[in-house]
Amino acid sequence: MRDVLIVGGGPVGTMLACVLAVGGLDVEVLEQRAQPSLRSRAIGIHPPSLRALAAIGVADALLERAVRIRAGEVRSDGRKLGQLSFERAAPGYPFVVALPQYETEALLRARFDELRPGRYRSGVTMTGVRDHGDAVAVSTDSGPIEARYVIGADGARSRVREAAGIAWRQLGRSETYLMGDFVDTAPTSTHPDDAGAVLYFERGGVVESFPLPDGRRRWVAMTDFLATDADSADLAALIRHRTGVRVVEPLGAASAFAVQQRLARRMHSKSLRVPGGPMSGPRAAGRIVLVGDAAHEISPIGGQGMNLGWLDAVALAPALQRALLDPAAAASVLAKYDRTRRSAGRRAALQAGFNMNMGRPAHGARLRARNAVVRSLTLPPANEVVARAFTMRWL
């Protein structure tokens, strides 16, 4: 019987596996995909996450590949509204870094394979999970598995969450975006750390631009509808129409996506009575726990989703260690995890909601008011607070 079984081998599940393995636990990961995805979804990695990656021995290799973003510029109608520097927001790592998600996942998988060879199992589908109070039984298409605790890191459509009977709570409205990578035509610097992000708060909706390694740049534009048939040429035309910037040489297909903000009503299963225990006796702590998108679906605008999941992992690891060593404390430590991380999820959703609201189409008095707010937020003393928020120092 494993100490911990993690269902979902994406960046959050594999990060948690590494943290637990470094802490000495017997951990295994089940991943439904037979082959890793090469989609470059989440790219931003914030300072608190870099500290967590350093603790598991991954940060140095990641920083060798990533682009460091020390500042972000805000523009509208061809004018610069302001700039935010991240250098004072996080002294240990005075930058946000950008790296395609598939590269980040590869680094995490390689590290976990060093720590627990053969324990990352690809092409395995979970078909059922049942919390018995003293252990969890997991059924898969390759046979049953038992573990002391099962972690759902299997994304927004989590089967683990569904099996545990945990419902979603909707937070705010949804939005749609179109995303794609292009050759970076921005002026280059001899210093590799000088790459910058640009936010275009335009009349027709926000356009965001972030540097990536190997001379690439990620562009994301808010759209009026889910443009599933749009291609890179459509995205390039939209960028030019709103910002005046001409992008060329697409690197891969454009993709449309919809953003919803939802929070699980609990982040671990209900407590159960241990089989054979007295009806009046204490109830065992629930042994199914959620992390990442399985627990909270947050807008990726602002780069919070993957990083929020990593911070879940950092908080959950010591709680699981305590629960395994001292079963009597399990209920209280998991309740604290649930309380603190759902609170962090709500704060992240509020911040993401603010970001999305600022990026919506604006004209006339609303446009002037929005631009005035943006200018004020990039000036002292507000700029340091905003920089700390955008680097996730409060989550």
PDB file of all heavy atoms in Angstrom, residues 60-87:
ATOM      1  N   ASP A  60      17.272  25.450 -10.866  1.00  0.00           N
ATOM      2  CA  ASP A  60      18.448  25.829 -11.657  1.00  0.00           C
ATOM      3  C   ASP A  60      18.294  25.402 -13.118  1.00  0.00           C
ATOM      4  O   ASP A  60      18.576  26.183 -14.035  1.00  0.00           O
ATOM      5  CB  ASP A  60      19.716  25.212 -11.059  1.00  0.00           C
ATOM      6  CG  ASP A  60      20.121  25.865  -9.745  1.00  0.00           C
ATOM      7  OD1 ASP A  60      19.596  26.960  -9.450  1.00  0.00           O
ATOM      8  OD2 ASP A  60      20.952  25.282  -9.025  1.00  0.00           O
ATOM      9  N   ALA A  61      17.854  24.165 -13.334  1.00  0.00           N
ATOM     10  CA  ALA A  61      17.673  23.684 -14.706  1.00  0.00           C
ATOM     11  C   ALA A  61      16.586  24.479 -15.412  1.00  0.00           C
ATOM     12  O   ALA A  61      16.691  24.783 -16.611  1.00  0.00           O
ATOM     13  CB  ALA A  61      17.329  22.193 -14.691  1.00  0.00           C
ATOM     14  N   LEU A  62      15.537  24.830 -14.684  1.00  0.00           N
ATOM     15  CA  LEU A  62      14.456  25.604 -15.283  1.00  0.00           C
ATOM     16  C   LEU A  62      14.933  27.002 -15.665  1.00  0.00           C
ATOM     17  O   LEU A  62      14.640  27.495 -16.762  1.00  0.00           O
ATOM     18  CB  LEU A  62      13.276  25.672 -14.315  1.00  0.00           C
ATOM     19  CG  LEU A  62      11.995  26.311 -14.841  1.00  0.00           C
ATOM     20  CD1 LEU A  62      10.777  25.594 -14.276  1.00  0.00           C
ATOM     21  CD2 LEU A  62      11.932  27.790 -14.458  1.00  0.00           C
ATOM     22  N   LEU A  63      15.681  27.643 -14.782  1.00  0.00           N
ATOM     23  CA  LEU A  63      16.151  28.998 -15.055  1.00  0.00           C
ATOM     24  C   LEU A  63      17.128  29.039 -16.225  1.00  0.00           C
ATOM     25  O   LEU A  63      17.251  30.068 -16.899  1.00  0.00           O
ATOM     26  CB  LEU A  63      16.799  29.597 -13.805  1.00  0.00           C
ATOM     27  CG  LEU A  63      15.823  29.968 -12.684  1.00  0.00           C
ATOM     28  CD1 LEU A  63      16.577  30.339 -11.419  1.00  0.00           C
ATOM     29  CD2 LEU A  63      14.926  31.123 -13.117  1.00  0.00           C
ATOM     30  N   GLU A  64      17.828  27.950 -16.474  1.00  0.00           N
ATOM     31  CA  GLU A  64      18.727  27.904 -17.625  1.00  0.00           C
ATOM     32  C   GLU A  64      17.969  27.996 -18.943  1.00  0.00           C
ATOM     33  O   GLU A  64      18.489  28.493 -19.938  1.00  0.00           O
ATOM     34  CB  GLU A  64      19.545  26.607 -17.605  1.00  0.00           C
ATOM     35  CG  GLU A  64      20.645  26.588 -16.558  1.00  0.00           C
ATOM     36  CD  GLU A  64      21.431  25.289 -16.586  1.00  0.00           C
ATOM     37  OE1 GLU A  64      21.151  24.444 -17.485  1.00  0.00           O
ATOM     38  OE2 GLU A  64      22.309  25.109 -15.731  1.00  0.00           O
ATOM     39  N   ARG A  65      16.709  27.507 -18.956  1.00  0.00           N
ATOM     40  CA  ARG A  65      15.920  27.496 -20.177  1.00  0.00           C
ATOM     41  C   ARG A  65      14.949  28.668 -20.279  1.00  0.00           C
ATOM     42  O   ARG A  65      14.586  29.081 -21.386  1.00  0.00           O
ATOM     43  CB  ARG A  65      15.105  26.188 -20.246  1.00  0.00           C
ATOM     44  CG  ARG A  65      15.887  24.993 -20.655  1.00  0.00           C
ATOM     45  CD  ARG A  65      16.252  25.063 -22.142  1.00  0.00           C
ATOM     46  NE  ARG A  65      15.058  25.150 -22.982  1.00  0.00           N
ATOM     47  CZ  ARG A  65      14.972  25.938 -24.059  1.00  0.00           C
ATOM     48  NH1 ARG A  65      15.980  26.716 -24.405  1.00  0.00           N
ATOM     49  NH2 ARG A  65      13.867  25.958 -24.784  1.00  0.00           N
ATOM     50  N   ALA A  66      14.521  29.213 -19.155  1.00  0.00           N
ATOM     51  CA  ALA A  66      13.428  30.184 -19.151  1.00  0.00           C
ATOM     52  C   ALA A  66      13.901  31.589 -19.480  1.00  0.00           C
ATOM     53  O   ALA A  66      15.083  31.932 -19.363  1.00  0.00           O
ATOM     54  CB  ALA A  66      12.738  30.172 -17.791  1.00  0.00           C
ATOM     55  N   VAL A  67      12.938  32.410 -19.876  1.00  0.00           N
ATOM     56  CA  VAL A  67      13.152  33.848 -20.037  1.00  0.00           C
ATOM     57  C   VAL A  67      12.755  34.538 -18.742  1.00  0.00           C
ATOM     58  O   VAL A  67      11.719  34.222 -18.150  1.00  0.00           O
ATOM     59  CB  VAL A  67      12.297  34.393 -21.201  1.00  0.00           C
ATOM     60  CG1 VAL A  67      12.345  35.912 -21.243  1.00  0.00           C
ATOM     61  CG2 VAL A  67      12.767  33.814 -22.529  1.00  0.00           C
ATOM     62  N   ARG A  68      13.578  35.472 -18.295  1.00  0.00           N
ATOM     63  CA  ARG A  68      13.275  36.221 -17.063  1.00  0.00           C
ATOM     64  C   ARG A  68      12.621  37.553 -17.416  1.00  0.00           C
ATOM     65  O   ARG A  68      13.153  38.332 -18.193  1.00  0.00           O
ATOM     66  CB  ARG A  68      14.555  36.442 -16.263  1.00  0.00           C
ATOM     67  CG  ARG A  68      15.288  35.144 -15.969  1.00  0.00           C
ATOM     68  CD  ARG A  68      16.523  35.350 -15.140  1.00  0.00           C
ATOM     69  NE  ARG A  68      17.299  34.109 -15.065  1.00  0.00           N
ATOM     70  CZ  ARG A  68      18.290  33.901 -14.216  1.00  0.00           C
ATOM     71  NH1 ARG A  68      18.642  34.852 -13.364  1.00  0.00           N
ATOM     72  NH2 ARG A  68      18.936  32.755 -14.219  1.00  0.00           N
ATOM     73  N   ILE A  69      11.478  37.797 -16.815  1.00  0.00           N
ATOM     74  CA  ILE A  69      10.720  39.026 -17.068  1.00  0.00           C
ATOM     75  C   ILE A  69      10.801  39.891 -15.815  1.00  0.00           C
ATOM     76  O   ILE A  69      10.229  39.542 -14.780  1.00  0.00           O
ATOM     77  CB  ILE A  69       9.248  38.701 -17.408  1.00  0.00           C
ATOM     78  CG1 ILE A  69       9.171  37.771 -18.615  1.00  0.00           C
ATOM     79  CG2 ILE A  69       8.481  39.991 -17.690  1.00  0.00           C
ATOM     80  CD1 ILE A  69       7.768  37.256 -18.899  1.00  0.00           C
ATOM     81  N   ARG A  70      11.507  40.978 -15.914  1.00  0.00           N
ATOM     82  CA  ARG A  70      11.703  41.841 -14.747  1.00  0.00           C
ATOM     83  C   ARG A  70      10.693  42.970 -14.671  1.00  0.00           C
ATOM     84  O   ARG A  70      10.581  43.620 -13.632  1.00  0.00           O
ATOM     85  CB  ARG A  70      13.120  42.417 -14.763  1.00  0.00           C
ATOM     86  CG  ARG A  70      14.195  41.343 -14.621  1.00  0.00           C
ATOM     87  CD  ARG A  70      15.588  41.938 -14.612  1.00  0.00           C
ATOM     88  NE  ARG A  70      16.584  40.894 -14.456  1.00  0.00           N
ATOM     89  CZ  ARG A  70      17.025  40.430 -13.296  1.00  0.00           C
ATOM     90  NH1 ARG A  70      16.544  40.923 -12.174  1.00  0.00           N
ATOM     91  NH2 ARG A  70      17.937  39.483 -13.259  1.00  0.00           N
ATOM     92  N   ALA A  71       9.968  43.224 -15.751  1.00  0.00           N
ATOM     93  CA  ALA A  71       9.016  44.343 -15.744  1.00  0.00           C
ATOM     94  C   ALA A  71       7.915  44.084 -16.759  1.00  0.00           C
ATOM     95  O   ALA A  71       8.084  43.297 -17.703  1.00  0.00           O
ATOM     96  CB  ALA A  71       9.728  45.657 -16.069  1.00  0.00           C
ATOM     97  N   GLY A  72       6.806  44.757 -16.540  1.00  0.00           N
ATOM     98  CA  GLY A  72       5.690  44.695 -17.476  1.00  0.00           C
ATOM     99  C   GLY A  72       5.227  46.098 -17.811  1.00  0.00           C
ATOM    100  O   GLY A  72       5.147  46.964 -16.932  1.00  0.00           O
ATOM    101  N   GLU A  73       4.950  46.333 -19.071  1.00  0.00           N
ATOM    102  CA  GLU A  73       4.521  47.652 -19.544  1.00  0.00           C
ATOM    103  C   GLU A  73       3.046  47.604 -19.911  1.00  0.00           C
ATOM    104  O   GLU A  73       2.560  46.590 -20.428  1.00  0.00           O
ATOM    105  CB  GLU A  73       5.360  48.048 -20.759  1.00  0.00           C
ATOM    106  CG  GLU A  73       5.079  49.435 -21.295  1.00  0.00           C
ATOM    107  CD  GLU A  73       6.020  49.794 -22.441  1.00  0.00           C
ATOM    108  OE1 GLU A  73       7.255  49.806 -22.224  1.00  0.00           O
ATOM    109  OE2 GLU A  73       5.529  50.041 -23.554  1.00  0.00           O
ATOM    110  N   VAL A  74       2.326  48.684 -19.648  1.00  0.00           N
ATOM    111  CA  VAL A  74       0.906  48.788 -19.982  1.00  0.00           C
ATOM    112  C   VAL A  74       0.733  49.890 -21.010  1.00  0.00           C
ATOM    113  O   VAL A  74       1.226  51.010 -20.828  1.00  0.00           O
ATOM    114  CB  VAL A  74       0.052  49.094 -18.731  1.00  0.00           C
ATOM    115  CG1 VAL A  74      -1.432  49.055 -19.085  1.00  0.00           C
ATOM    116  CG2 VAL A  74       0.350  48.110 -17.619  1.00  0.00           C
ATOM    117  N   ARG A  75       0.013  49.580 -22.100  1.00  0.00           N
ATOM    118  CA  ARG A  75      -0.172  50.536 -23.183  1.00  0.00           C
ATOM    119  C   ARG A  75      -1.647  50.617 -23.570  1.00  0.00           C
ATOM    120  O   ARG A  75      -2.413  49.669 -23.357  1.00  0.00           O
ATOM    121  CB  ARG A  75       0.664  50.148 -24.405  1.00  0.00           C
ATOM    122  CG  ARG A  75       2.155  50.034 -24.127  1.00  0.00           C
ATOM    123  CD  ARG A  75       2.939  49.791 -25.418  1.00  0.00           C
ATOM    124  NE  ARG A  75       2.861  50.922 -26.320  1.00  0.00           N
ATOM    125  CZ  ARG A  75       3.648  51.986 -26.252  1.00  0.00           C
ATOM    126  NH1 ARG A  75       4.586  52.063 -25.307  1.00  0.00           N
ATOM    127  NH2 ARG A  75       3.514  52.970 -27.113  1.00  0.00           N
ATOM    128  N   SER A  76      -2.023  51.739 -24.177  1.00  0.00           N
ATOM    129  CA  SER A  76      -3.381  51.931 -24.696  1.00  0.00           C
ATOM    130  C   SER A  76      -3.343  53.004 -25.765  1.00  0.00           C
ATOM    131  O   SER A  76      -2.704  54.053 -25.579  1.00  0.00           O
ATOM    132  CB  SER A  76      -4.344  52.337 -23.580  1.00  0.00           C
ATOM    133  OG  SER A  76      -5.660  52.510 -24.086  1.00  0.00           O
ATOM    134  N   ASP A  77      -3.999  52.741 -26.902  1.00  0.00           N
ATOM    135  CA  ASP A  77      -4.057  53.698 -28.005  1.00  0.00           C
ATOM    136  C   ASP A  77      -2.675  54.192 -28.420  1.00  0.00           C
ATOM    137  O   ASP A  77      -2.474  55.374 -28.724  1.00  0.00           O
ATOM    138  CB  ASP A  77      -4.934  54.901 -27.622  1.00  0.00           C
ATOM    139  CG  ASP A  77      -6.417  54.579 -27.690  1.00  0.00           C
ATOM    140  OD1 ASP A  77      -6.782  53.570 -28.328  1.00  0.00           O
ATOM    141  OD2 ASP A  77      -7.209  55.330 -27.098  1.00  0.00           O
ATOM    142  N   GLY A  78      -1.701  53.301 -28.397  1.00  0.00           N
ATOM    143  CA  GLY A  78      -0.358  53.670 -28.834  1.00  0.00           C
ATOM    144  C   GLY A  78       0.459  54.424 -27.820  1.00  0.00           C
ATOM    145  O   GLY A  78       1.598  54.829 -28.111  1.00  0.00           O
ATOM    146  N   ARG A  79      -0.080  54.625 -26.616  1.00  0.00           N
ATOM    147  CA  ARG A  79       0.639  55.372 -25.577  1.00  0.00           C
ATOM    148  C   ARG A  79       0.953  54.464 -24.396  1.00  0.00           C
ATOM    149  O   ARG A  79       0.175  53.571 -24.057  1.00  0.00           O
ATOM    150  CB  ARG A  79      -0.184  56.573 -25.099  1.00  0.00           C
ATOM    151  CG  ARG A  79      -0.505  57.577 -26.184  1.00  0.00           C
ATOM    152  CD  ARG A  79      -1.124  58.835 -25.586  1.00  0.00           C
ATOM    153  NE  ARG A  79      -2.321  58.541 -24.816  1.00  0.00           N
ATOM    154  CZ  ARG A  79      -3.532  58.451 -25.327  1.00  0.00           C
ATOM    155  NH1 ARG A  79      -3.721  58.608 -26.635  1.00  0.00           N
ATOM    156  NH2 ARG A  79      -4.570  58.207 -24.566  1.00  0.00           N
ATOM    157  N   LYS A  80       2.071  54.743 -23.753  1.00  0.00           N
ATOM    158  CA  LYS A  80       2.447  54.009 -22.560  1.00  0.00           C
ATOM    159  C   LYS A  80       1.721  54.591 -21.359  1.00  0.00           C
ATOM    160  O   LYS A  80       1.834  55.783 -21.067  1.00  0.00           O
ATOM    161  CB  LYS A  80       3.965  54.089 -22.356  1.00  0.00           C
ATOM    162  CG  LYS A  80       4.473  53.376 -21.125  1.00  0.00           C
ATOM    163  CD  LYS A  80       5.997  53.462 -21.050  1.00  0.00           C
ATOM    164  CE  LYS A  80       6.531  52.842 -19.767  1.00  0.00           C
ATOM    165  NZ  LYS A  80       8.020  52.922 -19.704  1.00  0.00           N
ATOM    166  N   LEU A  81       0.961  53.755 -20.656  1.00  0.00           N
ATOM    167  CA  LEU A  81       0.255  54.203 -19.460  1.00  0.00           C
ATOM    168  C   LEU A  81       1.106  54.071 -18.206  1.00  0.00           C
ATOM    169  O   LEU A  81       0.924  54.816 -17.243  1.00  0.00           O
ATOM    170  CB  LEU A  81      -1.032  53.391 -19.270  1.00  0.00           C
ATOM    171  CG  LEU A  81      -2.096  53.496 -20.373  1.00  0.00           C
ATOM    172  CD1 LEU A  81      -3.303  52.659 -20.003  1.00  0.00           C
ATOM    173  CD2 LEU A  81      -2.492  54.948 -20.615  1.00  0.00           C
ATOM    174  N   GLY A  82       1.997  53.097 -18.191  1.00  0.00           N
ATOM    175  CA  GLY A  82       2.830  52.897 -17.005  1.00  0.00           C
ATOM    176  C   GLY A  82       3.617  51.606 -17.110  1.00  0.00           C
ATOM    177  O   GLY A  82       3.515  50.864 -18.091  1.00  0.00           O
ATOM    178  N   GLN A  83       4.403  51.346 -16.094  1.00  0.00           N
ATOM    179  CA  GLN A  83       5.232  50.142 -16.066  1.00  0.00           C
ATOM    180  C   GLN A  83       5.333  49.627 -14.644  1.00  0.00           C
ATOM    181  O   GLN A  83       5.364  50.406 -13.687  1.00  0.00           O
ATOM    182  CB  GLN A  83       6.639  50.474 -16.598  1.00  0.00           C
ATOM    183  CG  GLN A  83       7.573  49.271 -16.632  1.00  0.00           C
ATOM    184  CD  GLN A  83       8.847  49.570 -17.393  1.00  0.00           C
ATOM    185  OE1 GLN A  83       8.807  49.993 -18.553  1.00  0.00           O
ATOM    186  NE2 GLN A  83       9.985  49.368 -16.744  1.00  0.00           N
ATOM    187  N   LEU A  84       5.356  48.301 -14.510  1.00  0.00           N
ATOM    188  CA  LEU A  84       5.534  47.660 -13.212  1.00  0.00           C
ATOM    189  C   LEU A  84       6.855  46.909 -13.209  1.00  0.00           C
ATOM    190  O   LEU A  84       7.144  46.151 -14.131  1.00  0.00           O
ATOM    191  CB  LEU A  84       4.408  46.662 -12.933  1.00  0.00           C
ATOM    192  CG  LEU A  84       3.081  47.185 -12.418  1.00  0.00           C
ATOM    193  CD1 LEU A  84       2.115  46.011 -12.257  1.00  0.00           C
ATOM    194  CD2 LEU A  84       3.247  47.897 -11.083  1.00  0.00           C
ATOM    195  N   SER A  85       7.647  47.116 -12.170  1.00  0.00           N
ATOM    196  CA  SER A  85       8.888  46.359 -11.995  1.00  0.00           C
ATOM    197  C   SER A  85       8.665  45.295 -10.930  1.00  0.00           C
ATOM    198  O   SER A  85       8.016  45.540  -9.915  1.00  0.00           O
ATOM    199  CB  SER A  85      10.026  47.288 -11.562  1.00  0.00           C
ATOM    200  OG  SER A  85      11.163  46.524 -11.193  1.00  0.00           O
ATOM    201  N   PHE A  86       9.222  44.103 -11.161  1.00  0.00           N
ATOM    202  CA  PHE A  86       9.105  43.002 -10.208  1.00  0.00           C
ATOM    203  C   PHE A  86      10.368  42.853  -9.355  1.00  0.00           C
ATOM    204  O   PHE A  86      10.449  41.944  -8.536  1.00  0.00           O
ATOM    205  CB  PHE A  86       8.835  41.694 -10.949  1.00  0.00           C
ATOM    206  CG  PHE A  86       7.631  41.746 -11.846  1.00  0.00           C
ATOM    207  CD1 PHE A  86       7.707  41.332 -13.162  1.00  0.00           C
ATOM    208  CD2 PHE A  86       6.421  42.239 -11.377  1.00  0.00           C
ATOM    209  CE1 PHE A  86       6.593  41.383 -13.991  1.00  0.00           C
ATOM    210  CE2 PHE A  86       5.306  42.302 -12.197  1.00  0.00           C
ATOM    211  CZ  PHE A  86       5.391  41.875 -13.517  1.00  0.00           C
ATOM    212  N   GLU A  87      11.329  43.736  -9.534  1.00  0.00           N
ATOM    213  CA  GLU A  87      12.633  43.543  -8.897  1.00  0.00           C
ATOM    214  C   GLU A  87      12.574  43.699  -7.385  1.00  0.00           C
ATOM    215  O   GLU A  87      13.323  43.035  -6.668  1.00  0.00           O
ATOM    216  CB  GLU A  87      13.658  44.509  -9.501  1.00  0.00           C
ATOM    217  CG  GLU A  87      13.854  44.266 -10.994  1.00  0.00           C
ATOM    218  CD  GLU A  87      15.261  44.607 -11.452  1.00  0.00           C
ATOM    219  OE1 GLU A  87      16.137  44.754 -10.592  1.00  0.00           O
ATOM    220  OE2 GLU A  87      15.466  44.712 -12.666  1.00  0.00           O
TER     221      GLU A  87
END
